[in-house]
Amino acid sequence: TRTNAKRPLFLELSGEIKKLTLAGNLTLSDHGAPFVKDLNAGAKITDCTNEMDVTFTFSDNTTYVAGFAAVLPTTQEDGNITTTLTNCLNKGDITGETSYSQDKPGPYNVAIGGVVGDVRAGGSGAVAYKVIMTNCDNNGTIKFTPQPSDAASTEGKDLIASMGLTGIGGVAGTLRASKSIEMNYCDNTGNITLSAAGMTNVNGMRPYAICLGGVIGCGTNQSGMGVNLNGHEITLTDCNNKGLLYNCGDNYSTSSRGNNKVYTGGLAGALVGLESKYATVKTCSNTGNVITYDL
């Protein structure tokens, strides 16, 4: 039990965490998670439970938060390396906000998930990293509320973007790479909310690629949002969502960016396979309500 924790239990992990339950609360001012901030290629988390509630307040552009690992894998090594998360259950609530203004155009590279945040299952050259998640569930609520830090500073000015690439998912926030990712028997029962109070498309404030899903938020590479449809070798098997999904994102369709869209789905907000191999979805279901609100 960790009371008023400020940092993850491990900042970086290359080994295995097994049969560990964490309880208490964690308050973050930088990206992180109760178990691990950066999970390296080949690491494992097995038979673990998170009961820590996570709250965060960021002013940085990067927002990666989850119940188990914020970013994975984070190292590049030669060989066919598999990173696994098996029997991981998140019961903690994840609640947070970020601020934006003219000087700080807003959060981008947002990845929030009940189990993992930003998944980078890749490398370079012949490296073939894999991430396999089996029986990883989220029962906690997830709520993200980006806020203008100074509304007056935006008047008459053209902000670059009030939010950037965003993936919020019950199990995984974003999957951003071109290697193999498998998710088996991963379920979400928690309610997920993006409540973008104060976010409008007035004065050029342009959110883009806002993705929210019951299991996966954004399952594609960044350029895959309408620019280059080349995402992942990804397989989703026996994954289900029962939670309420509420995406209050701004679809600024008149922007010059081709990917300024809002994506919401019971299983995934966006899910893009490789040009040579489609994403595979087998025996999955959604029974949760899906609500969108275009400002």
Side-chain angles (χ1 to χ4, degrees):
T1 300
R2 307 180 67 212
T3 304
N4 298 323
K6 303 296 183 183
R7 293 184 179 182
L9 187 64
F10 295 99
L11 293 178
E12 183 177 357
L13 180 74
S14 297
E16 181 178 15
I17 302 177
K18 190 172 184 178
K19 297 182 179 179
L20 176 64
T21 296
L22 294 181
N25 56 82
L26 172 67
T27 301
L28 295 170
S29 58
D30 188 10
H31 75 271
F35 279 77
V36 183
K37 179 179 180 180
D38 295 332
L39 190 67
N40 290 337
K44 298 179 180 181
I45 303 180
T46 308
D47 298 330
C48 290
T49 300
N50 175 58
E51 298 178 358
M52 296 187 75
D53 290 329
V54 179
T55 58
F56 63 90
T57 303
F58 293 167
S59 59
D60 195 5
N61 291 326
T62 300
T63 305
Y64 302 142
V65 181
F68 285 86
V71 183
L72 70 158
T74 59
T75 61
Q76 294 186 1
E77 301 176 17
D78 293 334
N80 193 333
I81 302 172
T82 300
T83 303
T84 63
L85 291 94
T86 307
N87 299 332
C88 294
L89 173 61
N90 178 58
K91 296 182 178 180
D93 295 335
I94 299 174
T95 308
E97 63 182 34
T98 59
S99 62
Y100 56 92
S101 63
Q102 178 63 25
D103 296 330
K104 291 196 172 187
Y108 56 86
N109 292 337
V110 175
I112 303 172
V115 178
V116 297
D118 187 45
V119 181
R120 306 172 184 180
S124 60
V127 175
Y129 293 166
K130 276 189 175 183
V131 172
I132 299 177
M133 300 179 63
T134 303
N135 196 27
C136 292
D137 299 339
N138 173 61
N139 294 345
T141 61
I142 300 174
K143 185 173 183 179
F144 177 50
T145 308
Q147 295 275 3
S149 59
D150 184 359
S153 69
T154 67
E155 293 182 5
K157 297 181 180 180
D158 185 20
L159 289 180
I160 298 173
S162 55
M163 279 187 69
L165 178 72
T166 298
I168 304 174
V171 179
T174 59
L175 311 180
R176 297 190 300 156
S178 58
K179 302 300 181 183
S180 176
I181 299 170
E182 298 179 14
M183 299 180 69
N184 308 300
Y185 305 99
C186 295
D187 299 335
N188 174 66
T189 61
N191 295 338
I192 305 173
T193 302
L194 168 63
S195 181
M199 180 185 293
T200 71
N201 57 22
V202 177
N203 299 327
M205 298 168 68
R206 300 170 181 174
Y208 65 94
I210 310 299
C211 307
L212 188 149
V215 178
I216 300 170
C218 183
T220 176
N221 58 19
Q222 187 165 355
S223 61
M225 308 308 296
V227 180
N228 175 22
L229 294 179
N230 195 33
H232 313 276
E233 182 178 331
I234 180 170
T235 302
L236 203 63
T237 305
D238 291 313
C239 296
N240 308 283
N241 173 64
K242 296 181 180 180
L244 168 69
L245 309 178
Y246 180 77
N247 190 352
C248 179
D250 181 8
N251 189 349
Y252 197 82
S253 59
T254 60
S255 167
S256 60
R257 289 183 179 270
N259 57 359
N260 284 23
K261 303 294 181 182
V262 175
Y263 302 86
T264 312
L267 294 176
L271 189 66
V272 180
L274 299 170
E275 292 181 32
S276 58
K277 186 174 184 179
Y278 295 123
T280 301
V281 179
K282 299 185 291 186
T283 56
C284 297
S285 70
N286 171 65
T287 55
N289 289 332
V290 179
I291 302 173
T292 61
Y293 177 76
D294 190 340
L295 294 175

